Amino acid sequence: IEHIAKQIMLVANQCKTTAVVVHGIPFKSNTNDLRESPNIKIGSILRENGLSVTYTDSNLTLDMLPKDQINIAENLDK
């Protein structure tokens, strides 16, 4: 996870951008389980290093999440 985040930061620096999009939020494709999601962890590292991160997932909406995970999704942009 840290290696991938470092690679993304390197590319963002080379492209002179401060914003990235992370596509795919659940820890596993075609699920609605956000717990232990590597992409959320990567996004957190990117944010800690000054990048603006937007999360997307074309297969997932808030109404598809279990109640205990809605808080995770609502706090992705913080």
Side-chain angles (χ1 to χ4, degrees):
I1 289 173
E2 290 179 16
H3 174 74
I4 292 169
K6 287 179 184 177
Q7 293 300 309
I8 293 169
M9 288 184 289
L10 179 66
V11 172
N13 188 44
Q14 290 172 346
C15 294
K16 298 180 181 171
T17 186
T18 59
V20 296
V21 174
V22 175
H23 180 72
I25 304 170
F27 83 99
K28 185 171 138 185
S29 296
N30 299 317
T31 70
N32 63 352
D33 192 350
L34 305 183
R35 297 170 298 159
E36 302 302 318
S37 167
N39 285 349
I40 292 175
K41 291 178 183 179
I42 291 168
S44 293
I45 293 170
L46 298 176
R47 278 207 172 106
E48 289 169 6
N49 285 277
L51 291 174
S52 171
V53 178
T54 301
Y55 294 91
T56 66
D57 196 308
S58 56
N59 297 314
L60 186 65
T61 60
L62 278 178
D63 61 325
M64 297 168 81
L65 293 175
K67 285 186 177 186
D68 64 329
Q69 294 185 43
I70 290 176
N71 188 46
I72 295 170
E74 290 177 338
N75 287 302
L76 288 176
D77 293 326
K78 296 180 180 171

